[in-house]
Structure formats: C-alpha cells, structure tokens
Amino acid sequence: VEEVDAIVDKSGATVSAEIQGYVDCCIKLSGMPDLTLTFVNPRLFDDVSFHPCVRFKRWESERLLSFIPPDGNFRLMSYHIGSQSVVAIPIYVRHNLSLRTNGDQGRLDVTVGPKQTMGRTLENVALEICMPKCILNCSLTANQGKYSYDPVSKVLLWDIGRIELPKLPNIKGTVSVSAGAETSGANPSVNVHFTIPQLAVSGLRVSRL
C-alpha cells in the first residue's frame, strides 16, 4: 500500500512528492515457515521500519527480508521514499478560472485524467477546490459525479468516482463574484484524492518469496 503526498504546480510539474508505503501480509501457513522476501529494487527506500519478526542484520547486509511470520494479518514493514526519487503522479488536472475585474460573473473549467497508470483505473477520485474569497456561488455542470459548493467556507467539492476512458471527467460553468471585489490574486488550490488498486507508484516490485 502506497500513500502519495505531492505538490504539483500550475504547469503540471511536481514541486515535491513523497511516498509512505506499507507491506501488509496475510499468512496462512502451517508449522514454523522461514521466509525470505527479496525486492527487485531495494535501494528505493529512504527509511524503513520492520515488524519484530524480521532479522535486521540480514536486511543490513543483504537488503532482503528474512523472517518467521506470525499467523494471520500483520504489517511486515513500513517505508518512506523522499522527493529525490522520481515519483510519477498518476493523475493530472487541467483547470482554468477566469474572473473579470468589473463583471459579476466568472468562468470555471476543470478536467481530470489519468497519466502513467500502467493501464490501471483511477478510483475514488475527488477534488476539493478552495475558491477565492470573492466567489459567492457556482452554477456548474459536471459530466460525471456530483458537486457541492459551500459559500461560507468557499470550498467546492467534486466527487467523481472511477475514471473510465476515453471519457474524461469535466466540470464547467459560471461563478458569481461579489461586486467590486479584488480578483487579481485569485488563484485557487486544488486538493486531489484518488486510489489505484494494484499499483505501486514508486515502482517497487517483489523479486521473489
């Protein structure tokens, strides 16, 4: 399981990215099996912590996991990969908010799509857009999912769900701007949440068990 935390700038370039990862096991073996797990690329890790059953000396010398596992479900290891490793963000957001300084209407247009997902599907996709203070309300149309806007907290929530290609989720429409508001510095941040089953974004792979 990998949790990616990243900041992406307006042009789509990654400013910072880090991964917190976990290797969770479900063991259904009889007796006292002695297991050895090796990774294709164990040098990826910047920081690791292990379940007490792992023999740390062997990890230090050979970069492999040697252990007699407990029964059932347990977390074998946790790891952290910092931003100096190349983390491929598997989703992109194209967004445009145009506010005219004199008018009381602006336009919002946001499109979301997958990239570098190795054929996997993006699921549980949701966007949280922190709108500028001058936005009173939104009148939008989404071609997928549903949206809500809270005029008090100025947060636009768009719950998309699964992204099924070739259709790309899009939301667009008008926003009402409070009269005489200063709109020049209006540059909203977009929080993007998603999950991808069966994909390790770091490229970590098990060599053999």
Side-chain angles (χ1 to χ4, degrees), residues 42-200:
R43 305 263 165 232
L44 272 178
F45 306 123
D46 291 322
D47 196 11
V48 286
S49 65
F50 298 112
H51 187 273
C53 71
V54 175
R55 300 178 179 105
F56 190 62
K57 284 267 190 292
R58 288 206 61 190
W59 170 260
E60 280 191 310
S61 59
E62 299 170 66
R63 282 292 182 263
L64 56 77
L65 297 180
S66 169
F67 58 101
I68 296 174
D71 269 344
N73 295 303
F74 74 101
R75 179 154 287 172
L76 179 65
M77 70 179 286
S78 307
Y79 58 89
H80 182 263
I81 297 174
S83 54
Q84 64 274 18
S85 322
V86 179
V87 177
I89 308 299
I91 191 168
Y92 70 84
V93 180
R94 281 201 300 267
H95 52 92
N96 184 33
L97 174 67
S98 56
L99 304 175
R100 284 182 289 289
T101 39
N102 49 2
D104 57 351
Q105 288 241 310
R107 288 200 62 77
L108 176 72
D109 191 336
V110 180
T111 303
V112 184
K115 69 174 187 191
Q116 297 164 315
T117 59
M118 274 82 109
R120 307 277 185 203
T121 305
L122 285 163
E123 298 183 3
N124 305 321
V125 180
L127 265 65
E128 195 179 302
I129 305 177
C130 309
M131 299 293 264
K133 297 273 185 281
C134 59
I135 305 290
L136 299 173
N137 223 323
C138 302
S139 171
L140 306 169
T141 306
N143 70 351
Q144 185 179 335
K146 52 186 190 294
Y147 84 92
S148 63
Y149 180 66
D150 181 347
V152 179
S153 67
K154 309 291 184 193
V155 171
L156 170 66
L157 289 174
W158 179 25
D159 195 352
I160 297 168
R162 274 171 82 98
I163 297 184
E164 302 274 14
L165 292 174
K167 181 177 135 182
L168 292 176
N170 170 267
I171 191 168
K172 62 183 172 189
T174 56
V175 294
S176 347
V177 184
S178 52
E182 173 54 51
T183 59
S184 59
N187 200 2
S189 63
V190 183
N191 292 324
V192 185
H193 305 272
F194 62 89
T195 58
I196 304 183
Q198 307 296 312
L199 178 72

